Each structure stands twice: as C-alpha cells, then as structure tokens.
Amino acid sequence: MNFSQFMRQGHRWLSILFTLTVIANFAVMAMGAPPMWLVYLPLPPLFLMLASGLYLFALPYAARGRVKG
C-alpha cells in the first residue's frame, strides 16, 4: 500500500470516527447538558480530515504538474 492509498483509507476511517462522535454528541445533548470533553471530541478527527482532505485534493494537481514538466 503506497502513501496515497494509506491516506485515502485513513481519510475514510476518520470520516467514520467523526460521524460517530457527532452522533454521540447529539445523543448526549438530547439528554441534557453534555460534558465539555464530549463537545470537543469531534474536533481532532475533523482537523485530521482537513489535513488528509487537502492532501487528497492536491494530488491530481501535483501529478499533472509532474507529467507536464
């Protein structure tokens, strides 16, 4: 598995983790005021998804630049 495939697979798993933390957040909010650690729990996967998503977004442009030049 090369780095690009690893990044793509990691991005997919991070999106699943992020979705589960958001669902947990809403479920606990329905029962009352959630603890602060649960409110901020979706942020780490979100920032990692931002980094991996920007990398995946830039891949085709970087490959196009390597082919031309």
Side-chain angles (χ1 to χ4, degrees), residues 8-60:
R8 193 172 306 275
Q9 190 68 27
H11 188 78
R12 288 180 186 142
W13 280 106
L14 282 170
S15 67
I16 292 170
L17 180 64
F18 174 72
T19 303
L20 291 175
T21 56
V22 169
I23 290 171
N25 208 338
F26 278 107
V28 172
M29 279 185 189
M31 292 185 265
M36 287 310 289
W37 64 269
L38 187 64
V39 172
Y40 295 116
L41 192 60
L43 291 179
L46 181 64
F47 289 131
L48 290 172
M49 280 178 37
L50 173 68
S52 63
L54 288 173
Y55 172 78
L56 293 172
F57 178 78
L59 271 179

Side-chain angles (χ1 to χ4, degrees), residues 58-69:
L59 271 179
Y61 299 105
R64 191 179 312 152
R66 275 183 270 146
V67 170
K68 287 183 182 177

